[in-house]
C-alpha cells in the first residue's frame, strides 16, 4: 500500500489571507494554500484525489489523539522526519530521509493559540507515549494530495507532516513506466 496519507475526516490547516483555517482533507481542492512548516505555505495542484483502499488499512494516532495517518506518513520530530514504517515512506518518497517513529520521540503540533496568523506559528513538543490505532475496511475512502509549489510539509490535525507524495518528474515517470510489465504497458496504450 502506498500513497495513502490521511483519513478523509482529518483536519488540514489551510491559509486564507493571514488566517489559518482548518478544513477536512476530503474538501481540499486545487489552488488551496496549505500551512506548511514554520509558517511557510504550499499550494495544492490538481492532483487532489480521493479513492478507495483496496485492502484493510490501519490508521495511527499519537497518544490519545484520533487515529488518522498511515504507517508510512512521516511526522516531524526532534530527530527529523520519522514514520512508523520508514520503508513504506521511502517507497512513496525515496529522496526523503526518514527514521523510525516510536515511543519516546517528540512530535510537533501547532499550538492552539497560534493558528490565527501565519506570522506567529508556534509548536507544542509532544512526547509519544503510545499509538492509537483503528482498522479501515477495504472500500473505505482515502485522501492523497500533491503540492505544486511551496514547502513539502503540511499540518494534519495540527501535527507537522511531510507531504509524502513524491515530486512528479520525467525521470520518475520513466522509471514507473519501465517497471510495468509488457501486458500492463499494452493495456495503458489501449486506453
Amino acid at each position: 500500500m502506498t500513497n495513502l496519507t490521511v483519513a478523509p475526516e482529518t483536519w488540514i490547516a489551510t491559509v486564507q489571507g493571514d488566517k489559518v483555517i482548518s478544513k477536512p482533507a476530503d474538501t481540499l481542492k486545487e489552488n488551496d494554500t496549505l500551512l506548511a512548516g514554520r509558517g511557510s505555505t504550499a499550494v495544492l495542484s490538481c492532483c487532489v484525489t480521493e479513492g478507495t483502499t483496496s485492502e484493510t488499512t490501519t490508521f495511527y494516532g499519537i497518544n490519545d489523539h484520533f487515529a488518522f495517518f498511515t504507517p508510512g506518513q512521516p511526522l516531524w520530530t526532534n530527530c527529523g522526519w520519522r514514520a512508523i514504517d520508514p520503508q513504506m515512506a521511502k517507497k512513496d518518497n525515496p529522496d526523503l530521509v526518514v527514521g523510525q517513529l516510536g515511543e519516546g520521540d517528540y512530535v510537533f503540533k501547532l499550538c492552539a493559540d497560534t493558528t490565527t496568523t501565519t506570522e506567529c506559528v508556534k509548536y507544542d513538543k509532544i512526547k509519544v507515549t503510545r499509538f492509537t490505532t483503528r482498522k479501515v475496511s477495504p472500500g473505505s475512502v482515502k485522501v492523497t494530495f500533491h503540492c505544486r509549489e511551496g514547502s513539502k510539509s503540511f499540518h494534519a490535525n495540527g501535527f507537522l507532516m511531510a507531504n509524502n507524495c513524491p515530486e512528479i518528474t520525467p525521470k520518475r515517470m520513466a522509471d514507473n513506466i519501465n517497471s510495468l510489465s509488457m501486458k500492463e504497458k499494452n493495456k495503458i496504450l489501449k486506453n
Side-chain angles (χ1 to χ4, degrees):
M1 175 188 60
T2 60
N3 275 340
L4 185 58
T5 304
V6 295
E9 62 274 17
T10 302
W11 290 89
I12 305 296
T14 65
V15 178
Q16 296 176 10
D18 67 346
K19 303 288 184 208
V20 175
I21 309 291
S22 288
K23 297 168 68 172
D26 61 353
T27 67
L28 296 174
K29 59 187 183 309
E30 181 181 3
N31 296 322
D32 278 349
T33 300
L34 304 184
L35 178 65
R38 298 187 178 128
S40 61
T41 59
V43 178
L44 284 179
S45 71
C46 59
C47 295
V48 177
T49 46
E50 291 181 9
T52 57
T53 59
S54 59
E55 57 192 56
T56 299
T57 302
T58 301
F59 283 100
Y60 291 81
I62 303 295
N63 302 337
D64 293 324
H65 294 278
F66 179 73
F68 66 95
F69 63 92
T70 58
Q73 179 59 53
L75 284 82
W76 185 249
T77 73
N78 57 316
C79 298
W81 293 115
R82 293 199 169 194
I84 291 170
D85 185 341
Q87 286 72 32
M88 183 184 285
K90 294 293 285 180
K91 187 173 182 181
D92 281 343
N93 202 338
D95 297 327
L96 191 65
V97 177
V98 182
Q100 177 75 50
L101 179 65
E103 293 177 7
D105 285 328
Y106 287 86
V107 293
F108 291 82
K109 188 173 189 234
L110 286 172
C111 291
D113 63 345
T114 61
T115 59
T116 57
T117 177
T118 57
E119 295 175 9
C120 62
V121 173
K122 295 180 183 169
Y123 294 94
D124 288 324
K125 199 165 138 178
I126 298 173
K127 184 176 184 177
V128 177
T129 58
R130 67 185 185 94
F131 295 103
T132 55
T133 61
R134 70 180 170 109
K135 299 275 187 196
V136 179
S137 303
S140 299
V141 174
K142 68 176 185 172
V143 178
T144 305
F145 47 87
H146 293 264
C147 294
R148 71 165 170 261
E149 59 188 64
S151 180
K152 295 188 183 291
S153 62
F154 66 101
H155 293 88
N157 290 345
F159 291 97
L160 182 55
M161 302 188 146
N163 187 346
N164 203 27
C165 294
E167 195 170 331
I168 299 172
T169 64
K171 180 184 181 328
R172 187 163 179 88
M173 290 173 59
D175 289 347
N176 285 335
I177 291 169
N178 287 334
S179 73
L180 297 173
S181 69
M182 189 54 73
K183 183 178 178 181
E184 291 169 319
K185 289 176 186 177
N186 287 331
K187 183 177 177 182
I188 290 171
L189 289 173
K190 288 179 183 178
N191 292 330

